[in-house]
């Protein structure tokens, strides 16, 4: 089949790389405009744009898809199907109708749970036992189209980064199955249920700030969900202090003041609203990641943690 592809970050480039092999024919790629990066603010093409350029595949980087020029460009590609992975913007209804079989979207959750921008992170933070990959027919409503297929995976204590690596591989396997079914005319669409819909908004640095009034279990999930980006953090002596990994203490101790530090020779803990959290890997402001115990050995005085109760 002749395919259009829309995507932007490395996770999308990973899928595009699979589609740029036989028997597929990618006839056009949509991606977000080049973005200013680093101190120099130099404009850098997206991971998808770089891969498409290397493969000699036509690529378009429009600031908006709602123009006749974009629609005309896509129409000339004579595509059978469009594939979307993390494009970073909504696909207008006019563009959804251009390929013969419409567009399909690869989404990293078990829809209808966790529609939205950050499904992997929210699944971890919510304590879900499983998540997965869904491929669905793209419609104008957010992540609401009928399903072509799903695969589930166990979260099993993994970080968002590690889990997404697994989901990317599973997504490519499922995509190949769906493409074969659509090409053969055997694909079956199953409408999403209205029950169980949840939403996964974008993770921001504000989301990643630790509220020590939460339980040690909840904070550990937040830490995994925000790893590798933006990383969970707390303020120590007025500076951002990232916590890369941690775990609830085996014998939780009820303390009167969430946010209290307990620094010993063999472990560093912080009291939470329910139990103590043992810090493993941390990254103080302006420094490299290190073991919490190594960081604590260099302290001259007990750190002061400043945090806000997000329920206030």
């Amino acid at each position: 089949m002749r395919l259009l592809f829309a995507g932007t970050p490395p996770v999308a480039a990973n899928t595009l790389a699979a589609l740029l092999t036989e028997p597929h024919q990618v006839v056009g790629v949509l991606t977000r405009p080049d973005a200013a990066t680093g101190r120099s603010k130099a404009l850098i093409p997206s991971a998808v744009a770089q891969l498409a350029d290397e493969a000699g595949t036509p690529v378009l980087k429009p600031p908006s898809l709602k123009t006749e020029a974009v629609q005309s460009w896509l129409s000339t590609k004579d595509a059978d199907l469009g594939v979307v992975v993390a494009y970073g913007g909504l696909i207008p209804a006019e563009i959804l109708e251009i390929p013969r079989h419409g567009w399909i979207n690869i989404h990293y959750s078990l829809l209808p749970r966790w529609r939205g921008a950050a499904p992997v992170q929210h699944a971890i933070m919510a304590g879900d036992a499983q998540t997965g990959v869904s491929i669905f027919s793209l419609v104008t409503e957010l992540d609401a189209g009928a399903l072509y297929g799903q695969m589930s995976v166990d979260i099993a204590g993994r970080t968002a980064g590690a889990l997404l690596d697994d989901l990317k591989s599973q997504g490519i396997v499922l995509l190949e199955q769906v493409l074969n079914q659509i090409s053969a005319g055997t694909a079956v669409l199953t409408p999403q249920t209205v029950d169980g819909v949840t939403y996964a908004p974008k993770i921001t640095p504000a989301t990643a700030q630790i509220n020590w009034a939460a339980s040690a279990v909840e904070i550990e999930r937040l830490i995994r969900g925000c790893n590798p980006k933006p990383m969970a953090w707390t303020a120590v002596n007025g500076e951002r202090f990232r916590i890369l990994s941690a775990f609830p203490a085996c014998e939780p101790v009820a303390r009167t003041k969430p946010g209290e530090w307990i620094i010993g020779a063999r472990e560093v803990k912080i009291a939470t609203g329910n139990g103590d959290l043992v810090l493993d890997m941390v990254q103080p402001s302006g420094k490299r990641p290190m073991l919490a115990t190594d960081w604590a050995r260099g302290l001259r005085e007990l750190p002061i943690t400043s945090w806000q109760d997000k329920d206030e």
Side-chain angles (χ1 to χ4, degrees):
M1 289 193 297
R2 295 172 61 85
L3 303 176
L4 293 170
F5 184 84
T8 300
V11 64
N14 189 73
T15 302
L16 176 59
L19 293 177
L20 289 171
T21 61
E22 295 291 343
H24 308 298
Q25 185 180 5
V26 180
V27 295
V29 170
L30 286 174
T31 190
R32 301 295 292 170
D34 298 353
T37 305
R39 294 181 180 179
S40 66
K41 301 299 181 183
L43 293 178
I44 304 297
S46 72
V48 164
Q50 293 179 49
L51 180 59
D53 285 338
E54 292 170 3
T57 303
V59 59
L60 192 65
K61 311 173 190 178
S64 171
L65 298 180
K66 296 180 179 181
T67 67
E68 292 185 4
V70 172
Q71 296 169 26
S72 176
W73 187 85
L74 292 170
S75 297
T76 63
K77 303 307 175 187
D78 191 30
D80 298 303
L81 182 72
V83 178
V84 182
V85 184
Y87 172 68
L90 295 177
I91 308 295
E94 296 82 3
I95 288 178
L96 293 179
E97 298 173 357
I98 291 175
R100 293 181 184 85
H101 298 289
W103 291 74
I104 60 174
N105 192 2
I106 304 175
H107 186 76
Y108 298 112
S109 83
L110 294 174
L111 292 170
R113 189 160 175 80
W114 302 128
R115 295 177 180 177
V120 176
Q121 295 93 324
H122 281 277
I124 292 172
M125 292 188 295
D128 292 359
Q130 286 190 323
T131 187
V133 181
S134 300
I135 296 182
F136 63 94
S137 176
L138 202 63
V139 295
T140 54
E141 185 181 350
L142 179 66
D143 299 336
L147 297 165
Y148 278 103
Q150 291 183 319
M151 281 185 175
S152 62
V153 300
D154 293 333
I155 292 178
R158 287 181 284 184
T159 65
L163 185 56
L164 187 56
D165 284 342
D166 189 7
L167 291 171
K168 287 189 296 185
S169 299
Q170 296 295 331
I172 290 172
V173 172
L174 182 59
L175 177 60
E176 292 289 350
Q177 295 176 6
V178 170
L179 289 178
N180 289 337
Q181 292 167 359
I182 293 174
S183 179
T186 59
V188 177
L189 281 168
T190 303
Q192 291 188 42
T193 63
V194 295
D195 296 328
V197 174
T198 58
Y199 291 93
K202 182 180 179 180
I203 301 296
T204 68
T207 312
Q209 183 180 7
I210 297 171
N211 179 351
W212 293 107
S215 70
V217 169
E218 291 169 326
I219 294 171
E220 187 273 340
R221 292 172 184 163
L222 174 73
I223 291 168
R224 285 191 288 115
C226 293
N227 185 336
K229 190 177 181 180
M231 290 295 186
W233 64 278
T234 191
V236 174
N237 297 332
E239 295 186 320
R240 188 168 295 191
F241 184 90
R242 294 182 175 89
I243 301 178
L244 283 60
S245 60
F247 54 92
C250 295
E251 297 179 0
V253 178
R255 298 186 180 272
T256 59
K257 186 180 179 182
E260 176 186 355
W261 289 76
I262 309 101
I263 297 180
R266 295 185 178 180
E267 65 180 9
V268 177
K269 298 189 290 187
I270 301 180
T272 76
N274 185 3
D276 293 340
L277 187 74
V278 182
L279 306 191
D280 180 20
M281 294 295 297
V282 301
Q283 187 176 14
S285 179
K287 297 185 181 296
R288 60 176 177 78
M290 63 183 72
L291 289 170
T293 49
D294 290 344
W295 165 78
R297 290 190 190 99
L299 291 177
R300 295 183 179 179
E301 59 183 358
L302 194 66
I304 300 172
T305 303
S306 174
W307 62 283
Q308 286 185 323
D309 187 339
K310 294 183 178 180
D311 291 331
E312 291 184 352

